[in-house]
Amino acid sequence: MNLKDYTATVKAALRIPLECPPRLVWKFMYNFGWQSMRNISRFEKRQAKGQPFFPAFVMISVTESCNLACSGCWVSGGGKKMLTVRQLDGIIADCKRKGSYFFGILGGEPLLYKGLPDMMEKHPDCYFQLFTNGILLTEEVTMRLKKMGNVTPLISIEGLKEESDARRGRNGVYEKTLAGVRACRKAGLIFGAAASICKSNYNDLVSREYVEMIAKEGAHYLWYYLYRPVGADPNVANALDKEEVLSFRRFIVEQRKNAPLFIIETYWDDKGNALCPGATGMSHHISPSGALEFCPPVQMAKDFINEDGSNLAELFENSGFLADFRKMTATRSRGCILLEDPQKLAAFLEKQGAVDTTSRKTVLEEYKKMTPVAGHNQQGENIPEANSIYKLVKKKYFFGFGAYG
């Protein structure tokens, strides 16, 4: 193991116990760390033995409602669909029965969902990653999250001041989001910052200066995504081209050598081969309408949970739609079919008789109109991990689970 890699990564990791209360650190290590490792092991064994399918992790969008109107967002503007509290409770309970205790909680803006803190508090043995724009992360909210100890806010920052306001469709968003960041730091929460990288924010956010700035603001991890031009009003011109995706990958690999925080993405394995979490079966999504979806931006489905969410495991185990979807995407590409071949995706969904799960009811037509853009599958130009610790983690947990043969 490279000593410099080890020293830099340990230094970033030590920020958590040095900056956060011991109870939060324990919840993170046990609820997220230990239980997630056990869960992935169970998932891997199920896949290897051909046992009934259940994903390792479930992402849950609790509501379509949002307090912003971001360019390129796939959530229906003004949409009112939301899970009931009873359904959400049932989803979590069914996942726990399958050994899954970690959940990504999305929206819209999930903090607009009444009863969410109560529900997360009701399941103290779980760990929740809260995807939020940060505006509603007041000191009162963050102090409650501190008391609970089982939530890590992941705050979306889509650019610096001008770009953030332009992308978000509203003035003053950047300052309000930073106020949420600072409230998390004041409360001693383990939290991260997220960014969807596109042409207009690339120079600001894909930089060492931004990595160091967000670490100084208290973030313990930085989660990078590729921008997807989807939704009712996509901005295709803002999507990265092939060279920019490769440059983005090089930047991530280089920064992982000595970044003052953890840099996260779920696109590549240790050798730089592309991966799709949906194709591997590692993760699927539940929409505000109760639909079991392949992933959050693919908003068409055939399977819906019942009124109390108690049929979740049964649906996952018997969904021919999701099984066919995983097979189709894995044989088409190791990357993102939504970016690389939206017409094939639309044809598959139409043939399967999948239904639109949104309030706007225009998703299939949106996919048919999409033009292919560069994805993260850059065969022949793979960039392997350079940091030996990241390489080890990726080798253990990001290897496709047999999806690609």
Side-chain angles (χ1 to χ4, degrees):
M1 181 177 290
N2 185 295
L3 183 60
K4 288 184 178 180
D5 293 350
Y6 179 79
T7 302
T9 307
V10 168
K11 187 176 180 180
L14 284 174
R15 286 187 49 216
I16 294 176
L18 290 173
E19 297 173 8
C20 304
R23 191 172 62 85
L24 271 67
V25 177
W26 168 250
K27 286 273 190 179
F28 174 75
M29 292 176 63
Y30 183 80
N31 287 25
F32 172 69
W34 172 245
Q35 296 207 111
S36 291
M37 286 193 295
R38 293 177 63 199
N39 180 36
I40 290 176
S41 178
R42 294 189 194 102
F43 170 77
E44 182 182 357
K45 289 177 181 177
R46 288 196 300 269
Q47 294 293 88
K49 295 179 179 180
Q51 294 175 345
F53 174 81
F54 194 88
F57 304 110
V58 172
M59 311 289 282
I60 310 170
S61 289
V62 293
T63 180
E64 286 184 319
S65 297
C66 192
N67 49 2
L68 297 176
C70 303
S71 171
C73 180
W74 57 76
V75 181
S76 297
K80 301 298 182 184
K81 290 183 180 292
M82 67 175 63
L83 294 170
T84 67
V85 171
R86 191 179 177 198
Q87 286 177 318
L88 181 57
D89 190 30
I91 291 167
I92 295 170
D94 232 20
C95 287
K96 287 164 64 172
R97 282 189 282 271
K98 285 292 187 178
S100 182
Y101 290 81
F102 174 74
F103 302 90
I105 304 296
L106 305 86
E109 170 51 55
L111 287 173
L112 290 172
Y113 182 88
K114 293 182 180 180
L116 181 60
D118 293 337
M119 184 57 62
M120 295 188 293
E121 190 170 33
K122 182 180 178 180
H123 295 276
D125 51 346
C126 294
Y127 204 78
F128 300 92
Q129 187 172 47
L130 183 67
F131 291 69
T132 174
N133 57 45
I135 292 176
L136 299 178
L137 284 171
T138 63
E139 288 192 15
E140 180 182 0
V141 170
T142 55
M143 290 305 291
R144 181 169 184 190
L145 297 182
K146 177 183 180 180
K147 182 180 178 181
M148 293 158 55
N150 64 339
V151 181
T152 175
L154 179 57
I155 303 169
S156 176
I157 301 174
E158 296 305 319
L160 302 184
K161 186 179 185 306
E162 290 185 9
E163 171 63 15
S164 184
D165 290 354
R167 282 278 299 279
R168 300 296 203 175
R170 188 168 155 187
N171 294 329
V173 172
Y174 181 66
E175 289 83 358
K176 292 175 182 177
T177 298
L178 280 185
V181 168
R182 290 161 185 167
C184 288
R185 182 177 187 177
K186 185 176 181 179
L189 297 181
I190 300 170
F191 73 98
S196 175
I197 301 303
C198 57
K199 288 183 180 293
S200 57
N201 66 13
Y202 189 97
N203 290 334
D204 285 339
L205 301 188
V206 185
S207 70
R208 180 67 182 197
E209 290 76 16
Y210 179 70
V211 170
E212 293 182 353
M213 183 276 284
I214 203 65
K216 287 179 181 178
E217 289 286 354
H220 299 101
Y221 59 100
L222 175 57
W223 197 317
Y224 279 122
Y225 305 91
L226 288 175
Y227 171 77
R228 291 171 172 79
V230 294
D233 187 25
N235 183 356
V236 178
N238 211 16
L240 300 183
D241 59 36
K242 178 182 176 180
E243 290 306 314
E244 288 167 329
V245 173
L246 286 170
S247 177
F248 176 52
R249 170 63 177 165
R250 280 192 290 269
F251 171 81
I252 289 174
V253 169
E254 183 66 25
Q255 292 305 310
R256 280 176 169 157
K257 293 179 179 178
N258 58 7
L261 77 180
F262 292 105
I263 296 181
I264 311 297
E265 45 73 24
T266 56
Y267 295 124
W268 295 279
D269 67 11
D270 61 302
K271 297 177 182 178
N273 296 312
L275 285 174
C276 167
T280 65
M282 183 186 291
S283 176
H284 285 313
H285 175 249
I286 301 173
S287 78
S289 63
L292 272 62
E293 296 177 341
F294 182 75
C295 65
V298 178
Q299 298 176 291
M300 297 189 72
K302 293 181 68 175
D303 308 292
F304 292 79
I305 60 171
N306 58 18
E307 61 184 10
D308 62 2
S310 62
N311 65 337
L312 181 65
E314 179 185 354
L315 289 177
F316 272 130
E317 290 174 0
N318 296 291
S319 176
F321 170 70
L322 285 175
D324 288 346
F325 207 148
R326 291 191 295 271
K327 182 178 180 180
M328 183 271 293
T329 53
T331 53
R332 167 59 181 82
S333 170
R334 293 182 66 103
C336 177
I337 191 169
L338 182 61
L339 297 181
E340 297 175 9
D341 199 345
Q343 276 66 48
K344 185 176 180 66
L345 172 63
F348 169 80
L349 294 169
E350 194 166 32
K351 182 179 180 181
Q352 286 274 334
V355 300
D356 191 325
T357 64
T358 71
S359 290
R360 64 184 185 275
K361 302 301 179 186
T362 56
V363 170
L364 184 60
E365 292 307 312
E366 293 165 11
Y367 294 160
K368 289 180 177 180
K369 293 177 182 177
M370 286 177 65
T371 55
V373 297
H376 62 284
N377 185 32
Q378 305 290 346
Q379 289 186 338
E381 300 181 75
N382 297 352
I383 302 170
E385 292 294 337
N387 181 304
S388 54
I389 296 179
Y390 280 93
K391 184 181 293 185
L392 180 64
V393 173
K394 286 292 192 82
K395 187 174 182 178
K396 175 66 176 175
Y397 297 115
F398 285 76
F399 51 88
F401 299 103
Y404 303 106

